[in-house]
Amino acid sequence: MTTRSGAQRRHLATSPFAPRVEPDIERFELHDRVTHAVLGLGRVISHESAAVTVDFGNCTRRIVSPFHKLEKL
């Protein structure tokens, strides 16, 4: 959870709630072979800090982070 200023709140040890776990975002490099749950097999042709562009053969798609349906082979 973030405050209005954008800073994250700290987790108190006495809190009854579990601390928020940040997901591990997978990193992709140029020419990595990947698979997508809907689009199938592809190859990374471009990568940015928060997105990758993947060529799936019949289409090219830009997929933004977090990459829920994209896995590295």
Side-chain angles (χ1 to χ4, degrees):
M1 178 174 216
T2 59
T3 61
R4 289 182 189 223
S5 66
Q8 287 196 349
R9 293 182 178 182
R10 63 187 175 105
H11 180 58
L12 299 174
T14 57
S15 173
F17 302 103
R20 184 176 206 151
V21 178
E22 294 297 324
D24 290 334
I25 297 176
E26 192 168 4
R27 299 231 182 260
F28 296 98
E29 297 296 326
L30 200 58
H31 304 293
D32 278 349
R33 298 280 298 168
V34 295
T35 182
H36 189 272
V38 176
L39 300 169
L41 295 173
R43 184 177 302 272
V44 176
I45 58 173
S46 170
H47 64 89
E48 306 165 26
S49 61
V52 293
T53 304
V54 181
D55 179 19
F56 290 103
N58 58 348
C59 67
T60 301
R61 297 286 170 95
R62 182 176 182 266
I63 302 172
V64 296
S65 176
F67 311 103
H68 293 295
K69 297 181 181 182
L70 193 66
E71 294 180 18
K72 190 183 298 188
L73 296 179

Coordinates of all heavy atoms in Angstrom, one line a residue:
M1 N 0.8 -1.2 0.0 CA 0.0 0.0 0.0 C 0.9 1.2 0.0 O 1.9 1.3 0.7 CB -0.9 0.0 1.2 CG -1.8 1.2 1.4 SD -2.9 0.9 2.8 CE -4.3 1.7 2.1
T2 N 0.5 2.2 -0.8 CA 1.3 3.4 -0.8 C 0.5 4.6 -0.3 O -0.8 4.6 -0.3 CB 1.7 3.8 -2.2 OG1 0.6 3.9 -3.0 CG2 2.6 2.7 -2.8
T3 N 1.1 5.5 0.3 CA 0.4 6.7 0.8 C 0.3 7.7 -0.4 O 0.8 7.5 -1.5 CB 1.2 7.4 1.9 OG1 2.5 7.8 1.4 CG2 1.4 6.4 3.1
R4 N -0.4 8.8 -0.1 CA -0.6 9.8 -1.2 C 0.8 10.4 -1.7 O 0.9 10.8 -2.8 CB -1.4 11.0 -0.7 CG -2.8 10.6 -0.5 CD -3.7 11.7 0.0 NE -5.0 11.2 0.4 CZ -6.1 11.9 0.1 NH1 -6.0 13.0 -0.6 NH2 -7.2 11.4 0.4
S5 N 1.8 10.4 -0.9 CA 3.1 10.9 -1.3 C 3.8 9.9 -2.2 O 4.8 10.2 -2.8 CB 3.9 11.3 -0.1 OG 4.3 10.1 0.6
G6 N 3.3 8.6 -2.2 CA 4.0 7.6 -3.0 C 4.9 6.7 -2.3 O 5.3 5.7 -2.8
A7 N 5.2 7.1 -1.0 CA 6.1 6.3 -0.2 C 5.3 5.1 0.4 O 4.2 5.2 0.7 CB 6.7 7.1 0.9
Q8 N 6.0 3.9 0.5 CA 5.4 2.8 1.1 C 5.3 2.9 2.6 O 6.2 3.4 3.2 CB 6.1 1.5 0.7 CG 5.9 1.1 -0.8 CD 6.3 -0.3 -1.0 OE1 6.9 -0.9 -0.2 NE2 6.0 -0.8 -2.2
R9 N 4.2 2.3 3.1 CA 4.1 2.3 4.6 C 5.0 1.2 5.1 O 5.1 0.1 4.5 CB 2.7 2.1 5.0 CG 1.7 3.2 4.7 CD 0.4 2.8 5.1 NE -0.6 3.9 4.9 CZ -1.8 3.9 5.2 NH1 -2.3 2.9 5.8 NH2 -2.6 4.9 4.9
R10 N 5.5 1.4 6.3 CA 6.4 0.4 6.9 C 5.5 -0.6 7.6 O 4.4 -0.3 8.1 CB 7.4 0.9 7.8 CG 6.9 1.7 9.0 CD 8.0 2.3 9.8 NE 7.5 3.1 10.8 CZ 7.6 2.8 12.1 NH1 8.2 1.6 12.4 NH2 7.1 3.5 13.0
H11 N 5.9 -1.9 7.7 CA 5.1 -2.9 8.4 C 5.5 -2.9 9.9 O 6.7 -3.1 10.2 CB 5.3 -4.2 7.7 CG 4.6 -5.4 8.4 ND1 3.2 -5.4 8.5 CD2 5.0 -6.5 8.9 CE1 2.8 -6.4 9.1 NE2 3.9 -7.2 9.4
L12 N 4.6 -2.9 10.7 CA 4.9 -2.9 12.2 C 4.9 -4.4 12.6 O 4.1 -5.2 12.2 CB 3.8 -2.2 13.0 CG 3.7 -0.7 12.6 CD1 2.5 -0.1 13.4 CD2 5.0 0.0 13.0
A13 N 5.8 -4.7 13.5 CA 6.0 -6.1 14.0 C 4.7 -6.5 14.8 O 4.4 -7.7 14.9 CB 7.2 -6.1 14.9
T14 N 4.0 -5.6 15.4 CA 2.8 -5.9 16.2 C 1.6 -6.0 15.3 O 0.5 -6.3 15.9 CB 2.6 -4.9 17.3 OG1 2.5 -3.6 16.7 CG2 3.8 -4.9 18.3
S15 N 1.6 -5.8 14.1 CA 0.5 -5.8 13.2 C -0.1 -7.2 13.0 O 0.7 -8.2 12.9 CB 0.8 -5.3 11.8 OG -0.2 -5.4 10.9
P16 N -1.4 -7.4 13.1 CA -2.0 -8.7 12.9 C -2.0 -9.1 11.4 O -2.3 -10.3 11.1 CB -3.4 -8.6 13.4 CG -3.7 -7.1 13.2 CD -2.4 -6.4 13.4
F17 N -1.7 -8.2 10.5 CA -1.7 -8.5 9.1 C -0.3 -8.9 8.6 O 0.7 -8.4 9.1 CB -2.2 -7.3 8.3 CG -3.6 -6.9 8.7 CD1 -3.7 -5.8 9.5 CD2 -4.7 -7.6 8.4 CE1 -4.9 -5.4 10.0 CE2 -5.9 -7.2 8.8 CZ -6.1 -6.1 9.6
A18 N -0.3 -9.8 7.6 CA 1.0 -10.2 7.0 C 1.6 -9.1 6.2 O 0.8 -8.3 5.6 CB 0.8 -11.4 6.1
P19 N 2.9 -9.0 6.2 CA 3.5 -7.9 5.4 C 3.2 -8.2 3.9 O 3.1 -9.3 3.4 CB 5.0 -8.0 5.7 CG 5.2 -9.4 6.2 CD 3.9 -9.8 6.8
R20 N 3.2 -7.1 3.1 CA 2.9 -7.2 1.7 C 4.2 -7.7 1.0 O 5.3 -7.2 1.2 CB 2.6 -5.8 1.2 CG 2.2 -5.8 -0.3 CD 1.8 -4.5 -0.8 NE 0.9 -4.7 -1.9 CZ 0.0 -3.9 -2.2 NH1 -0.3 -2.8 -1.5 NH2 -0.8 -4.1 -3.3
V21 N 4.0 -8.7 0.2 CA 5.1 -9.3 -0.5 C 5.2 -8.8 -1.9 O 4.2 -8.8 -2.6 CB 5.0 -10.8 -0.5 CG1 6.1 -11.5 -1.3 CG2 4.9 -11.4 0.9
E22 N 6.3 -8.2 -2.3 CA 6.5 -7.7 -3.6 C 6.8 -8.9 -4.6 O 7.6 -9.7 -4.3 CB 7.7 -6.7 -3.7 CG 7.4 -5.4 -2.9 CD 6.3 -4.6 -3.5 OE1 6.1 -4.6 -4.7 OE2 5.5 -4.0 -2.7
P23 N 6.1 -9.0 -5.7 CA 6.3 -10.1 -6.6 C 7.7 -9.9 -7.3 O 8.1 -8.8 -7.6 CB 5.2 -9.9 -7.6 CG 4.8 -8.5 -7.6 CD 5.1 -8.0 -6.2
D24 N 8.3 -11.1 -7.6 CA 9.5 -11.1 -8.3 C 9.2 -11.0 -9.8 O 8.4 -11.8 -10.3 CB 10.3 -12.4 -8.1 CG 10.9 -12.5 -6.7 OD1 11.1 -11.4 -6.1 OD2 11.1 -13.6 -6.2
I25 N 9.7 -9.9 -10.4 CA 9.4 -9.7 -11.8 C 10.5 -10.3 -12.7 O 11.7 -10.0 -12.5 CB 9.2 -8.2 -12.1 CG1 8.0 -7.7 -11.3 CG2 9.0 -8.0 -13.6 CD1 7.8 -6.2 -11.5
E26 N 10.2 -11.2 -13.5 CA 11.2 -11.9 -14.3 C 11.8 -10.9 -15.3 O 11.1 -10.1 -15.9 CB 10.5 -13.1 -15.1 CG 11.5 -14.0 -15.7 CD 10.8 -15.3 -16.2 OE1 9.6 -15.4 -16.1 OE2 11.6 -16.2 -16.7
R27 N 13.1 -11.1 -15.6 CA 13.8 -10.3 -16.5 C 14.0 -11.0 -17.8 O 14.3 -12.2 -17.8 CB 15.1 -9.9 -16.0 CG 15.1 -9.1 -14.7 CD 15.9 -7.9 -14.9 NE 15.9 -7.1 -13.6 CZ 15.2 -6.0 -13.4 NH1 14.3 -5.7 -14.3 NH2 15.2 -5.4 -12.3
F28 N 13.7 -10.4 -18.9 CA 13.9 -11.0 -20.2 C 15.0 -10.2 -21.0 O 15.1 -9.0 -20.9 CB 12.6 -10.9 -21.1 CG 11.5 -11.7 -20.4 CD1 10.5 -11.1 -19.6 CD2 11.4 -13.1 -20.7 CE1 9.5 -11.8 -19.1 CE2 10.4 -13.8 -20.1 CZ 9.4 -13.2 -19.3
E29 N 15.8 -11.0 -21.7 CA 16.9 -10.4 -22.5 C 16.5 -10.6 -24.0 O 15.6 -11.3 -24.4 CB 18.2 -11.1 -22.3 CG 18.7 -11.0 -20.8 CD 19.0 -9.6 -20.4 OE1 19.5 -8.8 -21.3 OE2 18.8 -9.2 -19.3
L30 N 17.2 -9.8 -24.8 CA 17.0 -9.9 -26.3 C 17.3 -11.3 -26.8 O 18.2 -12.0 -26.4 CB 18.0 -8.9 -27.0 CG 17.7 -8.5 -28.4 CD1 16.4 -7.8 -28.4 CD2 18.8 -7.5 -28.8
H31 N 16.4 -11.8 -27.7 CA 16.4 -13.1 -28.3 C 16.1 -14.2 -27.4 O 16.3 -15.4 -27.7 CB 17.8 -13.4 -29.0 CG 18.2 -12.3 -30.0 ND1 17.5 -12.2 -31.2 CD2 19.2 -11.4 -30.0 CE1 18.0 -11.2 -31.8 NE2 19.0 -10.7 -31.1
D32 N 15.6 -14.0 -26.2 CA 15.1 -15.1 -25.3 C 13.9 -15.7 -26.0 O 13.0 -15.1 -26.5 CB 14.7 -14.5 -24.0 CG 15.8 -14.3 -23.0 OD1 16.9 -14.8 -23.3 OD2 15.6 -13.7 -22.0
R33 N 13.8 -17.0 -25.9 CA 12.6 -17.8 -26.3 C 11.6 -17.8 -25.2 O 12.0 -18.0 -24.0 CB 13.0 -19.2 -26.7 CG 13.9 -19.3 -27.9 CD 13.3 -19.2 -29.2 NE 12.3 -20.2 -29.4 CZ 11.5 -20.2 -30.4 NH1 11.4 -19.3 -31.2 NH2 10.6 -21.2 -30.5
V34 N 10.4 -17.5 -25.5 CA 9.3 -17.4 -24.4 C 8.1 -18.1 -24.9 O 7.9 -18.4 -26.1 CB 9.0 -15.9 -24.1 CG1 10.2 -15.2 -23.5 CG2 8.5 -15.1 -25.3
T35 N 7.2 -18.3 -23.9 CA 5.9 -18.9 -24.2 C 4.9 -18.0 -23.5 O 5.1 -17.6 -22.4 CB 5.8 -20.4 -23.9 OG1 4.5 -20.8 -24.2 CG2 6.0 -20.6 -22.4
H36 N 3.7 -17.8 -24.2 CA 2.6 -17.0 -23.7 C 1.4 -17.9 -23.6 O 1.2 -18.8 -24.5 CB 2.4 -15.8 -24.6 CG 1.4 -14.8 -24.0 ND1 0.0 -15.0 -24.2 CD2 1.6 -13.7 -23.2 CE1 -0.6 -14.0 -23.5 NE2 0.4 -13.2 -23.0
A37 N 0.6 -17.8 -22.5 CA -0.5 -18.7 -22.3 C -1.5 -18.6 -23.4 O -2.2 -19.6 -23.7 CB -1.2 -18.3 -21.0
V38 N -1.7 -17.5 -24.1 CA -2.7 -17.3 -25.2 C -2.0 -17.3 -26.5 O -2.5 -17.9 -27.5 CB -3.5 -16.0 -24.9 CG1 -4.4 -15.8 -26.1 CG2 -4.2 -16.0 -23.6
L39 N -0.9 -16.6 -26.7 CA -0.3 -16.3 -28.0 C 0.7 -17.4 -28.4 O 1.1 -17.5 -29.6 CB 0.4 -15.0 -28.0 CG -0.5 -13.8 -27.7 CD1 0.3 -12.5 -27.5 CD2 -1.5 -13.6 -28.9
G40 N 1.2 -18.3 -27.5 CA 2.1 -19.4 -27.9 C 3.5 -19.0 -27.8 O 4.0 -18.2 -27.0
L41 N 4.4 -19.7 -28.6 CA 5.8 -19.5 -28.6 C 6.2 -18.2 -29.3 O 5.6 -17.8 -30.3 CB 6.5 -20.7 -29.3 CG 6.3 -22.0 -28.6 CD1 6.9 -23.1 -29.5 CD2 7.0 -22.0 -27.3
G42 N 7.3 -17.6 -28.8 CA 7.8 -16.4 -29.4 C 9.2 -16.1 -29.0 O 9.8 -16.9 -28.3
R43 N 9.8 -15.0 -29.6 CA 11.1 -14.6 -29.3 C 11.1 -13.1 -29.0 O 10.5 -12.3 -29.7 CB 12.0 -14.9 -30.5 CG 13.5 -14.5 -30.2 CD 14.4 -14.9 -31.4 NE 14.3 -16.3 -31.8 CZ 15.1 -17.2 -31.3 NH1 16.0 -16.9 -30.4 NH2 15.0 -18.5 -31.7
V44 N 11.9 -12.7 -27.9 CA 11.9 -11.3 -27.5 C 12.8 -10.6 -28.5 O 13.9 -10.9 -28.8 CB 12.6 -11.2 -26.1 CG1 12.8 -9.7 -25.7 CG2 11.7 -11.9 -25.0
I45 N 12.2 -9.5 -29.1 CA 12.9 -8.7 -30.1 C 13.3 -7.3 -29.6 O 14.1 -6.6 -30.2 CB 12.1 -8.6 -31.4 CG1 10.7 -8.0 -31.2 CG2 12.0 -9.9 -32.1 CD1 10.0 -7.7 -32.4
S46 N 12.7 -6.9 -28.4 CA 13.0 -5.6 -27.8 C 12.6 -5.7 -26.3 O 11.7 -6.3 -26.0 CB 12.3 -4.5 -28.5 OG 12.4 -3.3 -27.8
H47 N 13.5 -5.1 -25.5 CA 13.1 -5.0 -24.1 C 13.3 -3.6 -23.5 O 14.3 -2.9 -23.9 CB 13.8 -6.1 -23.3 CG 15.3 -5.9 -23.2 ND1 15.9 -5.2 -22.3 CD2 16.3 -6.4 -24.0 CE1 17.2 -5.2 -22.5 NE2 17.5 -5.9 -23.5
E48 N 12.4 -3.2 -22.6 CA 12.5 -2.0 -21.9 C 12.5 -2.3 -20.4 O 12.5 -3.4 -20.1 CB 11.3 -1.1 -22.3 CG 11.1 -0.9 -23.8 CD 9.8 -0.3 -24.1 OE1 9.2 0.4 -23.2 OE2 9.3 -0.6 -25.2
S49 N 12.5 -1.3 -19.6 CA 12.5 -1.5 -18.2 C 11.2 -2.1 -17.7 O 11.2 -2.9 -16.8 CB 12.8 -0.2 -17.4 OG 11.8 0.7 -17.7
A50 N 10.1 -1.8 -18.3 CA 8.8 -2.3 -17.9 C 8.0 -3.0 -18.9 O 6.8 -3.2 -18.8 CB 8.0 -1.1 -17.3
A51 N 8.6 -3.4 -20.0 CA 7.9 -4.0 -21.1 C 8.8 -4.8 -22.0 O 10.0 -4.5 -22.1 CB 7.1 -3.0 -21.9
V52 N 8.3 -5.8 -22.7 CA 9.1 -6.5 -23.8 C 8.2 -6.5 -25.0 O 7.0 -6.5 -25.0 CB 9.5 -7.9 -23.3 CG1 10.4 -7.9 -22.2 CG2 8.3 -8.7 -23.0
T53 N 8.9 -6.6 -26.2 CA 8.2 -6.8 -27.4 C 8.6 -8.2 -27.9 O 9.7 -8.5 -28.0 CB 8.6 -5.7 -28.5 OG1 8.4 -4.4 -27.9 CG2 7.8 -5.9 -29.8
V54 N 7.5 -9.0 -28.2 CA 7.8 -10.4 -28.6 C 7.2 -10.6 -29.9 O 6.1 -10.2 -30.3 CB 7.1 -11.3 -27.5 CG1 7.3 -12.7 -27.9 CG2 7.6 -11.0 -26.1
D55 N 8.0 -11.3 -30.8 CA 7.6 -11.7 -32.1 C 7.0 -13.2 -32.0 O 7.8 -14.1 -31.6 CB 8.7 -11.7 -33.1 CG 8.3 -12.1 -34.5 OD1 7.1 -12.2 -34.8 OD2 9.2 -12.5 -35.2
F56 N 5.7 -13.4 -32.2 CA 5.1 -14.7 -32.1 C 5.0 -15.3 -33.5 O 4.3 -16.3 -33.6 CB 3.7 -14.6 -31.4 CG 3.8 -14.2 -30.0 CD1 3.6 -12.9 -29.5 CD2 4.2 -15.2 -29.0 CE1 3.7 -12.6 -28.2 CE2 4.3 -14.8 -27.7 CZ 4.0 -13.6 -27.3
G57 N 5.6 -14.8 -34.5 CA 5.5 -15.4 -35.8 C 4.4 -14.8 -36.6 O 4.7 -14.1 -37.6
N58 N 3.2 -14.9 -36.2 CA 2.1 -14.3 -36.9 C 1.7 -12.9 -36.4 O 0.9 -12.2 -37.0 CB 0.9 -15.2 -36.9 CG 0.4 -15.5 -35.4 OD1 1.1 -15.2 -34.5 ND2 -0.8 -16.1 -35.3
C59 N 2.2 -12.5 -35.3 CA 2.0 -11.2 -34.7 C 3.1 -10.8 -33.8 O 3.9 -11.6 -33.4 CB 0.7 -11.1 -34.0 SG 0.6 -12.1 -32.5
T60 N 3.2 -9.5 -33.6 CA 4.2 -8.9 -32.7 C 3.5 -8.1 -31.6 O 2.6 -7.3 -32.0 CB 5.2 -8.0 -33.4 OG1 5.8 -8.7 -34.5 CG2 6.3 -7.4 -32.5
R61 N 3.8 -8.4 -30.4 CA 3.0 -7.8 -29.3 C 4.0 -7.2 -28.3 O 5.0 -7.8 -28.0 CB 2.1 -8.8 -28.5 CG 1.1 -9.4 -29.4 CD 0.0 -8.4 -29.6 NE -1.0 -8.8 -30.6 CZ -2.1 -9.5 -30.3 NH1 -2.4 -9.7 -29.1 NH2 -2.9 -9.8 -31.3
R62 N 3.6 -6.1 -27.7 CA 4.3 -5.4 -26.6 C 3.6 -5.8 -25.3 O 2.4 -5.6 -25.2 CB 4.3 -3.9 -26.8 CG 5.1 -3.2 -25.7 CD 5.2 -1.7 -26.0 NE 5.9 -1.0 -25.0 CZ 5.4 -0.4 -23.9 NH1 4.1 -0.5 -23.7 NH2 6.2 0.2 -23.1
I63 N 4.3 -6.5 -24.4 CA 3.7 -7.0 -23.2 C 4.3 -6.2 -22.0 O 5.6 -6.2 -21.9 CB 3.9 -8.5 -23.0 CG1 3.3 -9.2 -24.3 CG2 3.3 -9.0 -21.8 CD1 3.6 -10.7 -24.4
V64 N 3.5 -5.6 -21.2 CA 4.0 -4.8 -20.1 C 4.1 -5.6 -18.8 O 3.5 -6.7 -18.7 CB 3.0 -3.6 -19.8 CG1 3.1 -2.7 -21.0 CG2 1.6 -4.0 -19.5
S65 N 4.9 -5.1 -17.9 CA 5.2 -5.8 -16.6 C 4.0 -5.6 -15.7 O 3.4 -4.5 -15.7 CB 6.5 -5.1 -16.1 OG 6.7 -5.7 -14.8
P66 N 3.7 -6.5 -14.8 CA 4.3 -7.8 -14.6 C 3.8 -8.8 -15.7 O 2.7 -8.7 -16.1 CB 3.8 -8.2 -13.2 CG 2.5 -7.5 -13.1 CD 2.7 -6.2 -13.8
F67 N 4.7 -9.7 -16.0 CA 4.4 -10.6 -17.1 C 3.7 -11.9 -16.6 O 4.4 -12.9 -16.5 CB 5.8 -11.0 -17.8 CG 6.6 -9.8 -18.1 CD1 7.7 -9.5 -17.3 CD2 6.3 -8.9 -19.1 CE1 8.5 -8.4 -17.6 CE2 7.1 -7.8 -19.4 CZ 8.2 -7.6 -18.6
H68 N 2.4 -11.8 -16.4 CA 1.7 -12.9 -15.8 C 1.6 -14.1 -16.6 O 1.8 -15.2 -16.2 CB 0.3 -12.4 -15.4 CG 0.2 -11.4 -14.3 ND1 0.6 -11.7 -13.0 CD2 -0.2 -10.1 -14.3 CE1 0.5 -10.6 -12.3 NE2 0.0 -9.7 -13.0
K69 N 1.4 -14.0 -17.9 CA 1.2 -15.1 -18.8 C 2.4 -15.4 -19.6 O 2.3 -16.3 -20.5 CB 0.0 -14.8 -19.7 CG -1.3 -14.7 -19.0 CD -2.4 -14.4 -19.9 CE -3.7 -14.2 -19.1 NZ -4.9 -14.1 -20.1
L70 N 3.5 -14.8 -19.4 CA 4.7 -15.0 -20.2 C 5.8 -15.7 -19.4 O 6.1 -15.3 -18.3 CB 5.3 -13.6 -20.6 CG 6.3 -13.6 -21.7 CD1 5.7 -14.1 -23.0 CD2 6.8 -12.1 -21.9
E71 N 6.4 -16.7 -20.0 CA 7.4 -17.5 -19.3 C 8.6 -17.7 -20.2 O 8.5 -17.9 -21.4 CB 6.9 -18.9 -18.9 CG 5.8 -18.9 -17.9 CD 5.4 -20.3 -17.6 OE1 6.1 -21.3 -17.9 OE2 4.3 -20.5 -17.0
K72 N 9.8 -17.7 -19.6 CA 11.0 -17.9 -20.4 C 11.2 -19.4 -20.5 O 11.0 -20.2 -19.6 CB 12.2 -17.3 -19.6 CG 13.5 -17.3 -20.4 CD 14.7 -16.7 -19.6 CE 14.5 -15.3 -19.1 NZ 15.6 -14.8 -18.5
L73 N 11.7 -19.8 -21.7 CA 11.9 -21.2 -22.0 C 13.4 -21.6 -21.7 O 14.3 -20.8 -21.7 CB 11.6 -21.6 -23.4 CG 10.1 -21.5 -23.7 CD1 9.9 -21.8 -25.2 CD2 9.3 -22.4 -22.8

